[in-house]
RNA sequence: GCCGAAAUAGCUCAGCUGGUAGAGCAACUGACUUGUAAUCAGUAGGUCGCGGGUUCAAGUCCUGCUUUCGGCACCA
């Protein structure tokens, strides 16, 4: 007999070699029904794995995130089984569970799979799943595994890469066997609510030098309701797509004459200018100085900065008077020149210099995506020069600033600290260690949680990245704070210390929105195009009930609102009220004001908020006061 | 850049196996004179992304290019 200790601390005796499934069944049949897998001594295993000695046992029920991952992983296997039955020539790569589902990379040989082939695969999956095949696990030697997958070049490659002596496991269901670490569901009967979602090319082992396989994406849930609500979320994201809303709300456009170079339309321009005005205002208050450096600078500058060496393929260049020039992909080299114009004293520090700088980067054509990935964009950049002992305090100041700015938009975030790369890095390891510690200390001093990404820093220094979560539960990397141990050296930046000696300053690059263009794209989707009043391109729509009778009063109201710097549009068309309301609503204008006899007689306005049914009648002055207060509070 | 798909009126889309284009919305004109999410009627609007080819005939088939979309790779 062995002792099984449960998560609640209780201990029970069972026969040696009992499975978690049998343990669950012994407790209650209903528990067994909901069991997907088990954690034995903290290790996730199949439900049917025999437990050979005393162990801590945790049953993984179907409401656990781990359970969903197992379901999806098993769904990927089921899909592979279905594909194999339909396309016997197919060779399989890898098929993991991912954030919102699973995929499998498959080599179909000469056969080109299209979306229209997916339903057939789905059908085959459903048929196989309903067969209630049991899933079995088998441990084999490397030689044996190679024999099983002798005809499968990708699996063979994977097996060959496994360390000698490692226990290799195979999972089988019906006539299908896959190389897999597991764990898996005990039976395919669990897989009921799934869908194949899309098809794409994907490089074998994620390397663009390798052959491209066909990747089939799918998702899977334990209940029909969860699948439905996921599909609804996908629909909602599509509705909020900034490319679609940008077109519908006349914010920006793209032209095939300039792929990746967005055009800002009048309404988008207002949004953009409001955002920038806010940024300028806050940064001036924070003690930043503002500069603007040229778009295009001589190649020699980029040689000094190191960009010419490392990133030349992504830079646009041009020859002017026999001299090679490059359009800036980053603002820092220009900023360095500004710093060097003057002699600096330690008394000037921290010196905070901001720039909304338009940069150009030649992104791969396939990477372009609306405002999210463009070839020219405006970085809300700043460079902070200081002494090393100021780092902790300045980082803390920045985190406080970011915290405030993101909160204005209702965006939550988490921070990731990326540390020194293992190979490609410059400078002394001791300096890196100090810099990394300074970043971490700043966060700790503020009680901020953070995740460490070891080795993920830039070659010139460690960094903090701010990952925002939007209203659709997606993560966007926007803010960044990077310590740069490279440029001050390359540009020979100096300051004069208290002893009158020249010293090397420490420099920080930082961006808060990252790219103004991209951030606006995020805001469009985050707000679903219904911007808060301070950002809305049109804040108020004035609708005259009967243009003939009420236009004069409406014009007076408009003048008052314009005088108060509110953004107003009028609708004097000879249409039914409902028609005009509807249009204002679809344009997501925050306030609609209805003006008719009742309002004209007493200098009143009747307003209705976007998305709300009720309307309120107040004096024009009260309305102005209310909306101005709202705008001021953001 | 790579794999796959797509491009038709300002927008959203239809156009089957080839027979020189169609709807709804928007625009314009007129009627209606409107009180909270689409009043009615009419008019106009297109080198079917661009080039080449097959054919008596191409939006439709083939081909090159451009752009877009879904991914992959990339993202200092």
């Amino acid at each position: 007999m062995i002792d099984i200790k449960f998560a609640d601390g209780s201990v029970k005796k069972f026969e040696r070699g009992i499975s978690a499934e049998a343990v669950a069944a012994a407790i209650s049949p209903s528990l067994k029904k909901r069991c997907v897998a088990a954690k034995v001594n903290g290790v996730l295993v199949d439900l049917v794995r025999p437990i050979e000695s005393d162990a801590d046992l945790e049953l993984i029920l179907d409401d656990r995130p781990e359970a969903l991952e197992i379901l999806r992983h098993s769904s990927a296997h089921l899909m592979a089984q279905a594909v194999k039955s339909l396309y016997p020539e197919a060779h399989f790569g890898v098929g993991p569970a991912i954030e919102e589902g699973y995929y499998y990379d498959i080599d179909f040989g000469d056969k080109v799979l299209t979306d229209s082939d997916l339903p057939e695969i789905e059908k085959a999956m459903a048929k196989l799943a309903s067969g209630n095949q049991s899933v079995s696990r088998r441990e084999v030697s490397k030689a044996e595994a190679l024999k099983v997958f002798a005809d499968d070049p990708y699996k063979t490659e994977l097996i060959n890469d496994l360390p000698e002596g490692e226990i290799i496991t195979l999972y089988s269901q019906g006539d299908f066997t896959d190389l897999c670490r597991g764990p898996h569901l005990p039976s395919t009967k669990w897989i009921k609510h799934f869908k194949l979602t899309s098809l794409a090319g994907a490089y074998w082992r994620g390397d663009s030098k390798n052959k491209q396989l066909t990747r089939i994406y799918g998702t899977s849930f334990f209940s029909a309701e969860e699948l439905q609500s996921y599909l609804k979320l996908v629909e909602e994201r599509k509705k909020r797509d900034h490319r679609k809303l940008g077109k519908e709300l006349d914010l920006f456009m793209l032209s095939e004459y300039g792929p990746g170079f967005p055009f800002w339309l009048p309404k988008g321009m207002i949004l953009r200018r409001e955002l920038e005005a806010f940024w300028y205002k806050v940064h001036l208050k924070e003690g930043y100085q503002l500069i603007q450096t040229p778009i295009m600078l001589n190649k020699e500058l980029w040689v000094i900065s190191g960009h010419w060496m490392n990133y030349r393929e992504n830079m646009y260049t041009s020859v002017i008077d026999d001299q090679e020039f490059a359009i800036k992909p980053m603002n820092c080299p220009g900023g360095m020149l500004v710093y060097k114009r003057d002699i600096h004293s330690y008394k000037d520090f921290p010196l905070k210099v901001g720039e909304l700088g338009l940069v150009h980067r030649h992104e791969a054509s396939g990477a372009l995506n609306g405002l999210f990935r463009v070839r020219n964009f405006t970085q809300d950049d700043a460079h902070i020069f200081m002494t090393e002992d100021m780092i902790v305090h300045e980082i803390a100041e920045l985190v406080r600033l970011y915290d405030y700015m993101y909160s204005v938009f209702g965006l939550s975030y988490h921070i990731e600290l990326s540390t020194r790369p293992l190979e490609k890095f410059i400078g002394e390891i001791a300096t890196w260690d100090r810099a990394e510690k300074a970043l971490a200390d700043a966060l700790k001093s503020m009680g901020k949680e953070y995740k460490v990404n070891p080795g993920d820093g830039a070659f010139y220094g460690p960094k903090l990245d701010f990952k925002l979560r939007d209203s659709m539960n997606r993560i966007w990397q926007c803010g960044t704070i990077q310590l740069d141990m490279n440029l001050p050296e390359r540009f020979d930046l100096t300051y004069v210390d208290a002893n009158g000696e020249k010293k090397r300053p420490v420099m920080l690059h930082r961006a808060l929105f990252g790219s103004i263009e991209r951030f606006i794209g995020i805001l469009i989707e985050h707000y679903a195009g219904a911007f808060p009043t301070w950002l809305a391109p049109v804040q108020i729509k004035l609708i005259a009930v009967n243009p003939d009778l009420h236009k004069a009063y409406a014009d007076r109201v408009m003048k008052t609102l314009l005088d108060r710097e509110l953004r107003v549009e009028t609708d004097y068309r000879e249409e039914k009220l409902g028609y005009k309301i509807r249009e204002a609503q679809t344009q997501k204008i925050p306030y609609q004001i209805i003006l008719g006899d009742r309002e004209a007689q007493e200098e009143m306005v009747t307003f209705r908020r976007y998305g709300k049914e009720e309307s309120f009648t107040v004096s024009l002055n009260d309305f102005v006061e209310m909306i101005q207060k709202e705008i001021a509070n953001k």
Side-chain angles (χ1 to χ4, degrees):
Chain A
M1 296 294 271
I2 52 169
D3 286 340
I4 299 286
K5 189 175 170 197
F6 293 92
D8 65 1
S10 65
V11 178
K12 277 190 183 167
K13 285 202 182 299
F14 290 94
E15 225 157 283
R16 185 176 301 276
I18 193 168
S19 69
E21 189 173 40
V23 171
I27 297 169
S28 89
S30 62
L31 184 68
K32 181 199 159 202
K33 259 191 176 162
R34 290 189 52 208
C35 261
V36 172
K39 256 188 193 163
V40 176
N41 294 325
V43 179
L44 210 51
V45 299
D46 297 298
L47 218 43
V48 297
R49 265 286 264 292
I51 304 171
E52 299 294 354
S53 56
D54 292 356
D56 290 345
L57 175 68
E58 193 183 345
L59 297 170
I60 304 297
L61 304 188
D62 58 9
D63 56 355
R64 291 274 296 272
E66 294 99 320
L68 194 58
E69 201 178 317
I70 292 168
L71 171 73
R72 287 166 171 178
H73 193 177
S74 293
S75 301
H77 275 222
L78 179 68
M79 178 170 83
Q81 187 185 11
V83 166
K84 189 81 189 166
S85 73
L86 294 168
Y87 308 93
E89 297 308 308
H91 290 125
F92 296 85
V94 293
I98 50 172
E99 179 89 13
E100 295 186 345
Y102 56 90
Y103 67 78
Y104 217 118
D105 286 347
I106 304 165
D107 184 350
F108 284 90
D110 292 334
K111 159 79 184 167
V112 173
L113 213 66
T114 65
D115 286 322
S116 55
D117 295 316
L118 295 183
E120 199 189 356
I121 300 172
E122 256 176 23
K123 231 197 246 160
M125 285 171 74
K127 201 169 154 205
L128 288 167
S130 65
N132 189 10
Q133 315 171 75
S134 60
V135 178
S136 65
R137 175 179 184 276
R138 185 153 66 99
E139 294 184 1
V140 296
S141 67
K142 194 163 173 175
E144 209 176 334
L146 285 170
K147 220 161 92 193
V148 173
F149 294 103
D151 294 335
D152 229 315
Y154 304 104
K155 297 291 177 189
T156 300
E157 192 181 324
L158 291 174
I159 295 164
N160 277 325
D161 280 0
L162 290 172
E164 215 55 54
E166 172 127 331
I167 297 167
I168 295 172
T169 55
L170 307 181
Y171 279 81
S172 301
Q173 55 202 50
D175 56 0
F176 177 79
T177 296
D178 204 349
L179 172 75
C180 188
R181 208 176 279 128
H184 278 281
L185 299 168
S187 153
T188 57
K189 73 170 177 200
W190 286 88
I191 309 169
K192 281 190 188 135
H193 309 288
F194 60 87
K195 190 173 166 59
L196 300 184
T197 49
S198 69
L199 209 55
Y203 297 109
W204 166 238
R205 307 195 109 179
D207 189 334
S208 58
K209 289 197 271 301
N210 290 341
K211 182 172 178 177
Q212 208 159 46
L213 309 181
T214 302
R215 176 172 293 182
I216 306 176
Y217 282 95
T219 194
S220 189
F221 289 91
F222 282 106
S223 71
E225 294 75 42
E226 287 166 297
L227 175 61
Q228 278 315 312
S229 70
Y230 170 74
L231 294 175
K232 248 171 100 177
L233 179 72
V234 171
E235 276 307 301
E236 180 61 24
R237 285 180 189 163
K238 237 187 242 166
K239 268 191 228 158
R240 288 171 176 244
D241 190 313
H242 74 284
R243 294 166 297 196
K244 181 174 180 287
L245 287 171
K247 200 185 273 183
E248 285 171 9
L249 303 177
D250 302 315
L251 301 175
F252 65 92
M253 62 174 249
L254 292 158
S255 159
E256 63 181 277
Y257 289 104
F261 301 113
F263 290 61
W264 289 93
L265 301 175
K267 286 187 174 152
M269 203 58 200
I270 289 174
L271 182 56
R272 188 188 167 125
R273 285 181 52 218
E274 282 298 329
L275 198 63
E276 291 179 351
F278 174 52
W279 190 94
Y280 280 128
K281 198 171 141 188
V282 170
H283 282 78
L284 287 172
K285 205 165 139 191
E286 293 280 327
Y288 283 75
Q289 301 179 344
L290 300 173
I291 59 170
Q292 189 159 66
T293 63
I295 297 286
M296 203 180 214
L297 291 160
N298 195 299
K299 171 198 147 183
E300 290 310 314
L301 180 75
W302 306 105
V303 171
I304 297 170
S305 71
H307 289 90
W308 198 256
M309 267 287 284
N310 295 304
Y311 313 111
R312 195 185 158 182
E313 325 78 68
N314 291 316
M315 291 164 68
Y316 295 103
T317 56
S318 183
V319 173
I320 302 167
D321 294 342
D322 299 327
Q323 294 271 326
E324 197 155 12
F325 278 70
I327 301 182
K328 64 177 175 182
M330 289 178 86
N331 301 304
C332 26
M336 298 299 102
L337 298 183
V338 173
Y339 181 90
K340 280 175 78 77
R341 175 180 178 270
D342 294 314
I343 293 173
H344 294 276
S345 151
Y346 71 98
K347 292 178 184 167
D348 300 336
F349 289 167
L351 179 65
K352 305 194 267 192
V353 186
E355 169 173 18
L356 291 183
L358 180 62
V359 299
H360 290 67
R361 300 177 182 183
H362 184 239
E363 301 287 357
S365 56
L368 302 179
N369 176 295
L371 295 178
F372 287 161
R373 196 75 180 272
V374 291
R375 285 178 171 161
N376 78 350
F377 61 93
T378 309
Q379 276 190 320
D380 63 319
D381 220 338
H383 298 102
I384 301 178
F385 305 92
M386 60 197 162
T387 58
E388 200 175 312
D389 56 1
M390 291 177 168
I391 296 177
V392 173
H393 180 256
E394 285 312 306
I395 299 281
E397 285 289 284
L398 281 172
V399 174
R400 177 186 53 72
L401 171 64
Y402 284 27
D403 200 273
Y404 162 67
M405 291 288 269
Y406 296 146
S407 75
V408 166
F409 303 98
L411 292 161
S412 63
Y413 66 88
H414 73 269
I415 303 174
E416 296 185 4
L417 166 63
S418 295
T419 59
R420 179 172 51 82
L422 287 177
E423 283 167 18
K424 218 181 138 192
F425 67 92
I426 57 128
E428 300 299 314
I429 290 185
T431 316
W432 274 86
D433 290 346
R434 278 206 309 279
E436 286 166 12
K437 186 170 181 303
L439 292 177
D441 284 349
L443 295 177
K444 280 178 198 146
S445 75
M446 304 189 76
K448 288 277 175 198
E449 303 266 322
Y450 62 95
K451 184 185 140 194
V452 180
N453 289 332
D456 235 19
F459 73 91
Y460 50 76
K463 58 176 183 170
L464 297 178
D465 287 327
F466 289 71
K467 311 258 180 175
L468 307 192
R469 185 180 289 275
D470 75 3
S471 61
M472 291 281 98
N473 219 15
R474 287 168 307 186
I475 305 281
W476 303 100
Q477 206 227 287
C478 290
T480 184
I481 300 174
Q482 310 185 346
L483 258 160
D484 191 333
M485 293 143 32
N486 183 39
L487 287 183
E489 198 70 37
R490 281 177 170 269
F491 279 90
D492 190 27
L493 300 191
T494 58
Y495 70 94
V496 179
D497 76 1
N499 302 319
E501 284 173 37
K502 275 193 176 177
K503 290 278 174 61
R504 185 80 70 220
V506 171
M507 190 184 87
L508 226 64
H509 305 255
R510 45 115 287 179
L512 200 163
F513 296 145
S515 145
I516 299 275
E517 286 76 359
R518 183 157 164 279
F519 193 73
I520 290 176
I522 293 168
L523 288 184
I524 292 170
E525 304 206 358
H526 178 60
Y527 290 122
F531 300 105
T533 307
W534 73 278
L535 279 175
V538 179
Q539 296 167 319
I540 303 160
K541 185 77 144 187
L542 286 183
I543 299 173
V545 175
N546 182 335
D548 285 349
L549 304 174
H550 310 123
K551 181 172 181 301
Y553 176 57
D555 279 343
R556 281 212 322 277
V557 171
M558 177 174 71
K559 193 170 177 310
T560 305
L561 297 174
L562 288 175
D563 282 347
R564 307 297 187 90
E565 295 183 342
L566 293 163
R567 300 187 287 267
V568 194
E569 265 184 8
T570 58
D571 190 342
Y572 295 158
R573 289 176 304 176
E574 301 200 339
E575 291 288 350
K576 289 240 164 72
L577 196 49
Y579 178 89
K580 293 188 271 196
I581 295 268
R582 180 177 190 277
E583 192 173 278
Q585 291 283 353
T586 56
Q587 285 294 304
K588 302 172 194 278
I589 296 168
Y591 287 94
Q592 294 136 45
I593 288 186
I594 311 299
L595 300 168
D597 288 339
R598 296 207 289 269
E599 290 76 16
Q601 276 157 25
E602 305 172 58
E603 291 281 314
M604 304 288 267
V605 297
T606 297
F607 72 87
R608 171 176 164 158
R609 269 226 76 143
Y610 168 74
K612 296 273 185 341
E613 302 269 318
E614 353 41 327
S615 56
F616 305 92
T617 302
V618 297
S619 76
L620 179 55
N621 283 337
D622 286 353
F623 176 79
V624 169
E625 202 175 301
M626 177 194 78
I627 192 169
Q628 282 186 327
K629 199 181 279 172
E630 183 190 338
I631 290 167
N633 291 335
K634 302 234 145 54

